[in-house]
Amino acid sequence: MKRMEMLKKLATDRGGKMILLVMDGLGGLPGPEGRTELEAAFKPNMDALAKRSELGLLEIVDTGVTPGSGPGHLSLFGYDPLEFSIGRGILEAMGVGALVGAGDICARGNFCTRDGDTIVDRRAGRIATEKSALVVEKLAGSIKEIDGVKVTLYPGKEHRFVVVFSGDGLSEDVSDADPQAEGVPMRLAQASTPLADKMAQVANSFIGKVADVLKGDSPANGCLLRGFSSAPDVPLMPDLYRIKPVAVASYPMYRGLAKLVGMSVVDAGEGLEELFNTVARVYDDYDYFYVHVKYTDSRGEDGDFGGKREVVERVDRLLPRLLDLSPDVLVITGDHSTPSLMSGHSWHPVPFLLSSDYVRRGLSASFGEGECATGSGGRIEAKKLLGLMLAHARRLEKFGA
Amino acid sequence: MKRMEMLKKLATDRGGKMILLVMDGLGGLPGPEGRTELEAAFKPNMDALAKRSELGLLEIVDTGVTPGSGPGHLSLFGYDPLEFSIGRGILEAMGVGALVGAGDICARGNFCTRDGDTIVDRRAGRIATEKSALVVEKLAGSIKEIDGVKVTLYPGKEHRFVVVFSGDGLSEDVSDADPQAEGVPMRLAQASTPLADKMAQVANSFIGKVADVLKGDSPANGCLLRGFSSAPDVPLMPDLYRIKPVAVASYPMYRGLAKLVGMSVVDAGEGLEELFNTVARVYDDYDYFYVHVKYTDSRGEDGDFGGKREVVERVDRLLPRLLDLSPDVLVITGDHSTPSLMSGHSWHPVPFLLSSDYVRRGLSASFGEGECATGSGGRIEAKKLLGLMLAHARRLEKFGA
């Protein structure tokens, strides 16, 4: 907490505008030609920017530790991911606009197809979002309360939904109610501490009631629940740093995370072009812009080296729309590495580029992992990036006389 | 404290001599030709030394945090600047030779010109040091005690003086009695905690008495008080590391800081040449030499790129006087960055050069921010430098069996 408190004391409400462009899972590993996805990409705009920027590497959680998306983003927003943790359930809940108060527990739901107690399809054939919303409506009409605990449902994308349990004596220390496989029996929620017994009972009772209400329906005739979590007590970015932050992101989880730390969230549409245009549209109203590009991570997860490279190239072509806004500080980085070689998140430190009028430039020829390893920005903990951005935006006072 | 305790256990009273040459505000930013002040300077001696030294960057307080001179120097002397803090008042008090005991509160004073309650000139026309000393003498004759609190005055340079309040129940939690502007009414000291009420009353009473005594004088007919602070409880360098440290510095604040951490302070005269000659004069009597060059910072604060570069060049011409002493360890660095581009302190990490018989040399061609970013010394916290110097001076035992 120390650094956060120090920055809070030093922060002023004057200074420049900052854009944080997060290319999800940006960090990579060398492909067949010895270059990473980022290094192999044709990206004249980023490379030109790199020549007049500070490059470096971000250590997201700790050396050798592979971050999930939650800790990854929390770090970028200035939070110590070992001190502040956020369950995936709460992230999705926020993303669909759910209200989660102190003491409430939320969970992510999947509609599934059951045959008696056997889970046949964990995603109910990925039913359409509209159809899923109707199922949620039907359930919401029948299940309002269980053992004195209020139940609120929110529809999500495709087969997904969010449920919020509100009542006394609930705990998030409950295992997922999900067998994680198909053709096997349902696995119910279990309390991992005695204090969580009530939550486990209510959750399993909810699952039973869902199966009752949907009996005879197809393909969605049951549900799974994962990621039980309570709303974390997180100090908010506007209060901490006297900034007006906004999230420009299309995916619910990232919008939810941003909301949780006190950012405004605007409608960013669906595609990359709309995403970048949205920044320009709301540029006058905020001073910190978190812009989230999902697809670098998606292609990395697919093990698609060329696909990930192409996402970088598409972002590069759109980069002038951000540069034209002349932000005082622009950072391009990721929330973790997703090397296509590994088809998943990894522990490798993440390249970053920081552009402002006050950088020690001239050490780097292009934007890539190799240049970042020897760049003038050094290797820093990701949780320190926000303070560095505030400094470059001239928003921090001097420490001590 | 952990590292400090470890070093204390490992420290021996045998070993080599160390010189720490602090060029105040040394770190810079690229100028018109893409090189920093340090990089642009013609400095054959430093560059030759760089080829057989370890180069690196010092993170003074924390990433993105701009250090004041106090925290900057404390770090270089091995103190965690977040754990140990020193008010500016106490620094100046030490610098003018004031004695500040436990429980005493000191403050920096400015003589000013008042017209009734309006502050006309916050510095009383920067009256000459000699004249200011006479005003202090006059006041000292009249104001000896206020409400049982003893008042002691010390003259400073030009319009500056230091006042020490000694008595029971005083606190440093008092706001500056200074409107920070001219042509506006005086702003009196205010207690920020109830425990500081007495100090605020005494301070404001002092300001009133000064105006009474100086009534009719010109231009100094009043005073402002800033930086109320008590003597901090700091472990001393000689006790911690079994060394005999000495400060060779011309400016009061730096001499004060050195005294506070247990260094001897010698008369270093006024100019650069005298400063360097002083090191040679006292070389046999000590084993750690803190040598402070102010003017790199001064020219940086002026926004004078060429002027700052020239100070580096002047120091380079004098460097052989230190090299001729054949110190076992020589470090050249700064207490923070002062890029002329910014005309003020900044958060950028500070270049350092460490020369000893035990360095991994040969990686760097010259002394500058770029070479330091990729040098063999790496990027380290400034508070660790002292331990590194002790190590190179062969003054530390092995840790563990």
Side-chain angles (χ1 to χ4, degrees):
Chain A
M1 189 61 121
K2 244 182 183 176
R3 174 172 167 90
M4 213 177 239
E5 280 160 11
M6 176 174 57
L7 293 181
K8 185 175 180 180
K9 277 186 197 151
L10 302 177
T12 66
D13 55 4
R14 288 155 284 110
K17 284 182 186 260
M18 304 160 275
I19 297 179
L20 172 68
L21 174 57
V22 177
M23 302 175 73
D24 205 299
L26 180 62
L29 283 172
E33 290 174 22
R35 291 178 301 173
T36 66
E37 301 90 331
L38 179 61
E39 288 168 344
F42 175 71
K43 46 177 195 330
N45 293 312
M46 285 185 206
D47 288 344
L49 192 61
K51 293 189 178 77
R52 47 180 206 273
S53 296
E54 273 180 18
L55 269 58
L57 290 173
L58 296 180
E59 198 71 85
I60 304 290
V61 174
D62 199 355
T63 306
V65 175
T66 297
S69 301
H73 273 85
L74 279 182
S75 302
L76 295 178
F77 300 152
Y79 298 86
D80 183 338
L82 298 177
E83 187 178 354
F84 298 97
S85 70
I86 292 178
R88 185 147 185 142
I90 193 78
L91 288 184
E92 298 238 338
M94 293 272 167
V96 300
L99 295 170
V100 186
D104 294 356
I105 305 290
C106 68
R108 294 192 294 152
N110 268 17
F111 289 121
C112 66
T113 309
R114 300 174 62 145
D115 179 6
D117 191 43
T118 301
I119 303 303
V120 179
D121 181 341
R122 289 179 60 249
R123 296 179 187 85
R126 288 190 186 273
I127 51 169
T129 302
E130 303 74 35
K131 200 166 170 194
S132 182
L134 292 174
V135 180
V136 165
E137 208 177 306
K138 183 175 177 179
L139 291 172
S142 311
I143 313 173
K144 294 176 189 302
E145 202 182 287
I146 297 173
D147 297 342
V149 172
K150 193 181 159 210
V151 177
T152 316
L153 291 161
Y154 299 87
K157 291 204 174 189
E158 299 176 336
H159 54 285
R160 301 179 189 91
F161 67 94
V162 166
V163 55
V164 179
F165 299 99
S166 314
D168 291 334
L170 301 180
S171 159
E172 65 181 3
D173 296 332
V174 164
S175 67
D176 289 350
D178 181 348
Q180 293 284 0
E182 298 178 342
V184 299
M186 177 61 184
R187 180 194 297 160
L188 288 176
Q190 291 196 307
S192 56
T193 67
L195 285 174
D197 283 342
K198 180 172 177 184
M199 183 68 256
Q201 281 163 30
V202 170
N204 293 329
S205 174
F206 172 79
I207 290 166
K209 282 175 193 291
V210 168
D212 288 346
V213 174
L214 302 183
K215 186 169 276 177
D217 286 5
S218 173
N221 65 353
C223 79
L224 312 173
L225 294 181
R226 287 182 292 162
F228 291 87
S229 42
S230 54
D233 185 22
V234 174
L236 304 181
M237 288 179 76
D239 301 335
L240 286 168
Y241 310 117
R242 304 175 75 177
I243 54 176
K244 284 181 68 180
V246 66
V248 181
S250 303
Y251 273 61
M253 205 184 79
Y254 308 95
R255 298 162 62 86
L257 185 45
K259 245 190 220 181
L260 205 67
V261 296
M263 291 191 208
S264 298
V265 176
V266 292
D267 184 1
E270 291 285 331
L272 268 186
E273 195 156 349
E274 220 175 321
L275 190 81
F276 280 68
N277 290 345
T278 301
V279 182
R281 180 166 58 78
V282 301
Y283 194 69
D284 288 342
D285 302 333
Y286 302 94
D287 44 32
Y288 175 95
F289 303 82
Y290 154 54
V291 186
H292 181 259
V293 172
K294 176 67 182 168
Y295 314 106
T296 25
D297 179 61
S298 313
R299 295 297 81 74
E301 296 262 8
D302 295 342
D304 179 359
F305 187 98
K308 186 175 173 188
R309 190 192 65 219
E310 280 165 24
V311 176
V312 174
E313 292 173 347
R314 284 174 57 206
V315 171
D316 190 73
R317 286 193 293 275
L318 291 167
L319 193 64
R321 303 202 186 181
L322 299 186
L323 299 176
D324 286 350
L325 300 169
S326 302
D328 299 279
V329 182
L330 171 63
V331 167
I332 307 178
T333 189
D335 57 333
H336 53 77
S337 292
T338 306
S340 16
L341 180 69
M342 300 177 70
S343 299
H345 291 203
S346 81
W347 61 88
H348 301 87
V350 180
F352 79 88
L353 171 163
L354 187 153
S355 158
S356 95
D357 285 347
Y358 308 107
V359 292
R360 289 187 176 152
R361 63 186 183 274
L363 294 186
S364 306
S366 62
F367 186 35
E369 285 81 349
E371 293 281 358
C372 286
T374 56
S376 63
R379 179 186 286 234
I380 64 174
E381 294 173 279
K383 67 181 177 188
K384 299 195 170 180
L385 177 68
L386 192 269
L388 191 61
M389 291 176 69
L390 292 172
H392 279 271
R394 310 295 297 266
R395 302 183 74 96
L396 295 179
E397 305 275 5
K398 190 161 66 175
F399 175 81
Chain B
M1 187 64 119
K2 246 183 182 173
R3 175 172 167 91
M4 218 176 232
E5 280 161 9
M6 176 175 62
L7 293 181
K8 184 175 181 181
K9 278 185 194 150
L10 303 177
T12 66
D13 56 4
R14 287 155 286 108
K17 284 181 187 262
M18 304 159 276
I19 297 179
L20 173 68
L21 173 57
V22 177
M23 301 175 73
D24 205 300
L26 180 62
L29 282 173
E33 288 173 24
R35 291 179 301 174
T36 66
E37 301 89 332
L38 179 61
E39 288 168 346
F42 176 71
K43 46 177 195 327
N45 293 312
M46 287 186 204
D47 288 343
L49 191 60
K51 293 191 178 74
R52 47 181 206 274
S53 297
E54 273 180 18
L55 268 59
L57 290 173
L58 296 181
E59 197 72 87
I60 304 289
V61 174
D62 198 356
T63 306
V65 174
T66 298
S69 301
H73 274 85
L74 279 182
S75 301
L76 295 178
F77 299 153
Y79 298 86
D80 184 338
L82 297 179
E83 187 177 355
F84 298 97
S85 71
I86 292 178
R88 186 145 188 144
I90 192 79
L91 288 183
E92 299 237 340
M94 294 273 169
V96 300
L99 294 170
V100 186
D104 293 356
I105 305 291
C106 67
R108 293 193 293 152
N110 269 18
F111 289 121
C112 67
T113 309
R114 300 174 61 144
D115 179 6
D117 192 43
T118 302
I119 303 304
V120 179
D121 182 340
R122 289 180 60 248
R123 296 180 187 83
R126 289 192 184 273
I127 50 169
T129 302
E130 303 74 36
K131 199 168 171 195
S132 183
L134 292 175
V135 180
V136 165
E137 211 177 302
K138 181 175 180 181
L139 291 172
S142 311
I143 312 174
K144 292 175 189 299
E145 201 181 288
I146 298 174
D147 296 342
V149 172
K150 192 181 159 208
V151 176
T152 317
L153 292 161
Y154 299 88
K157 291 203 174 187
E158 299 177 335
H159 53 285
R160 302 180 190 90
F161 67 93
V162 165
V163 54
V164 179
F165 300 99
S166 314
D168 291 335
L170 300 180
S171 158
E172 66 181 2
D173 295 332
V174 164
S175 68
D176 289 352
D178 181 349
Q180 293 285 358
E182 298 178 341
V184 299
M186 177 60 183
R187 181 194 295 161
L188 289 176
Q190 290 195 306
S192 55
T193 68
L195 286 173
D197 283 342
K198 180 173 177 185
M199 183 67 255
Q201 281 164 28
V202 170
N204 293 329
S205 174
F206 172 79
I207 290 166
K209 283 176 194 293
V210 167
D212 287 345
V213 173
L214 302 183
K215 186 169 277 178
D217 285 7
S218 171
N221 66 352
C223 78
L224 311 173
L225 294 181
R226 287 181 291 163
F228 291 86
S229 42
S230 54
D233 184 24
V234 173
L236 303 181
M237 289 180 76
D239 302 335
L240 285 169
Y241 310 118
R242 305 174 74 174
I243 54 177
K244 285 179 69 180
V246 65
V248 182
S250 303
Y251 273 62
M253 206 183 77
Y254 309 95
R255 297 161 63 87
L257 186 45
K259 243 190 220 180
L260 206 67
V261 297
M263 291 193 207
S264 299
V265 177
V266 292
D267 185 0
E270 290 285 331
L272 269 186
E273 195 154 352
E274 220 175 321
L275 191 81
F276 280 69
N277 289 345
T278 302
V279 182
R281 179 165 58 80
V282 302
Y283 195 68
D284 288 343
D285 302 332
Y286 302 94
D287 45 32
Y288 175 97
F289 304 81
Y290 154 54
V291 186
H292 181 257
V293 172
K294 176 67 182 167
Y295 313 106
T296 25
D297 179 60
S298 313
R299 295 296 81 74
E301 295 262 7
D302 295 342
D304 180 359
F305 188 97
K308 186 175 172 190
R309 189 194 66 221
E310 279 166 26
V311 176
V312 174
E313 292 173 348
R314 284 174 57 205
V315 171
D316 191 73
R317 286 195 292 276
L318 291 167
L319 193 64
R321 304 203 185 179
L322 298 186
L323 298 176
D324 286 349
L325 301 169
S326 301
D328 299 277
V329 183
L330 170 63
V331 167
I332 307 178
T333 188
D335 57 333
H336 54 77
S337 292
T338 304
S340 17
L341 179 69
M342 300 178 71
S343 299
H345 292 203
S346 81
W347 62 88
H348 301 87
V350 179
F352 78 87
L353 171 162
L354 188 153
S355 159
S356 94
D357 285 347
Y358 309 105
V359 292
R360 292 191 176 149
R361 63 188 180 278
L363 295 185
S364 305
S366 62
F367 186 35
E369 286 81 351
E371 292 282 357
C372 287
T374 56
S376 64
R379 179 186 285 234
I380 64 173
E381 294 174 279
K383 67 182 178 188
K384 300 195 170 178
L385 177 67
L386 192 269
L388 191 61
M389 291 176 70
L390 291 171
H392 278 272
R394 311 295 298 267
R395 302 182 75 96
L396 296 179
E397 304 277 4
K398 190 161 62 177
F399 175 81

